[in-house]
DNA sequence: TCTTGAACCTCTAGTCACTAGAGATACTAC
DNA sequence: GTAGTATCTCTAGTGACTAGAGGTTCAAGA
């Protein structure tokens, strides 16, 4: 049996976060010692690892909750789980696209100004004030 | 003079958000009508456009606040503003890098499972449960 | 001038996924 | 037995808004 601190060290999820997941219903409430401290078994640890991994991949707690529910329904889990992962993939791709545009824009803005010397016209500030100077939509 | 609704339509910033920016000190409190409604001048609108544009580029309200302060100090604004923009650029680049790794990972996960048919072993769920299946760090 | 309906006001509370801190209790190693 | 660490619950805070209640003001038409 693992204490919450053991779990935290092994999964690298902070203690208050573990308690938060329990409160949110992602982790089921574990056994307690006589003194009311949480004691987890291997299943609890696996569940937490699953959550951690999914969070690292950017799944929302809501999506993770769905994925966990699906684990109890092997008959229909595969299609639904793939849908969730695919949706997340589209989100990530859209985000990358947007960030690439921003990168170009920021690069242009911060390169426009040489940064030293006294100038009363700062290109960074001017670019932010005037959207017309942008070459992209965002 | 513009009402808060005019400002909202022209800048595409929602009304509660405009009030929020005022509360946070990013926008100075505008004049009011006798009936206590906000009335903005052109300067107020420009300021809000600046904030909107910077937010679209992903600057935090704190960073925007610094940029606004710099507008009052043309002597040292250029270097400092460039620093802020450059820092934001690094953030964006780091984020793109991380998202690219996630994209690969999610692509692998969601492709692994054909999605139809009844299988008691779902590759998506298995991948999330077992980090060892991953080919990258994240 | 009056009325109607849209726009505006303030205030509180909720969102997401945690994080921080207070103050009290329990466990563990010596 | 005791010291020191780990844990408990509870409340409140983060960032950047968003939603809703309940009330007031404005602008246009009759």
């Amino acid at each position: 049996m693992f204490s919450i601190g053991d779990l935290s060290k092994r999964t690298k999820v902070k203690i208050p976060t573990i308690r938060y997941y329990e409160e949110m219903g992602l982790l089921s409430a574990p056994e307690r010692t006589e003194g009311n401290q949480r004691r987890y078994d291997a299943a609890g640890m696996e569940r937490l690892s699953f959550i951690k991994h999914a969070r690292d991949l950017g799944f929302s707690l809501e999506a993770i909750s769905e994925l966990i529910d699906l684990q109890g329904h092997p008959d229909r889990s595969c299609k639904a789980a793939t849908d969730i992962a695919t949706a997340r993939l589209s989100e990530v791709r859209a985000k990358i696209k947007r960030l690439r545009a921003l990168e170009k824009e920021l690069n242009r803005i911060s390169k426009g100004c040489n940064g030293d010397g006294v100038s009363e016209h700062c290109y960074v500030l001017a670019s932010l004030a005037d959207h017309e100077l942008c070459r992209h939509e965002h």
Side-chain angles (χ1 to χ4, degrees), chain A:
Chain A
M1 301 293 271
F2 314 102
S3 70
I4 197 168
D6 293 337
L7 222 65
S8 172
K9 263 171 226 140
R10 284 170 191 245
T11 60
K12 274 151 197 156
V13 176
K14 286 182 190 150
I15 291 173
T17 306
I18 297 174
R19 290 197 276 247
Y20 172 74
Y21 289 162
E22 181 183 327
E23 201 190 328
M24 295 296 102
L26 285 166
L27 283 175
S28 42
E31 289 176 42
R32 300 273 184 146
T33 62
E34 284 192 7
N36 199 35
Q37 298 194 355
R38 291 166 179 83
R39 285 300 113 103
Y40 296 89
D41 57 13
M45 183 132 96
E46 274 165 38
R47 167 69 64 88
L48 182 56
S49 301
F50 179 93
I51 297 169
K52 171 72 157 74
H53 191 188
R55 281 297 295 140
D56 285 346
L57 289 167
F59 289 86
S60 68
L61 294 191
E62 204 192 336
I64 294 171
S65 190
E66 281 181 65
L67 290 168
I68 287 171
D69 285 348
L70 289 172
Q71 292 180 312
H73 302 275
D75 51 323
R76 58 182 176 78
S77 71
C78 197
K79 170 80 167 69
T82 305
D83 286 351
I84 293 173
T86 305
R88 175 75 196 130
L89 182 56
S90 315
E91 278 169 38
V92 168
R93 285 188 173 145
K95 207 157 191 173
I96 289 173
K97 208 172 166 186
R98 277 193 46 231
L99 285 174
R100 285 240 188 83
L102 290 188
E103 186 192 5
K104 270 192 200 155
E105 184 64 22
L106 282 167
N107 196 38
R108 191 183 59 71
I109 289 175
S110 59
K111 286 275 155 49
C113 214
N114 62 10
D116 54 28
V118 178
S119 61
E120 62 220 56
H121 180 77
C122 175
Y123 191 65
V124 172
L125 296 176
S127 292
L128 289 170
D130 186 2
H131 199 162
E132 298 305 309
L133 294 172
C134 292
R135 300 216 179 90
H136 319 273
E137 280 310 308
H138 46 243

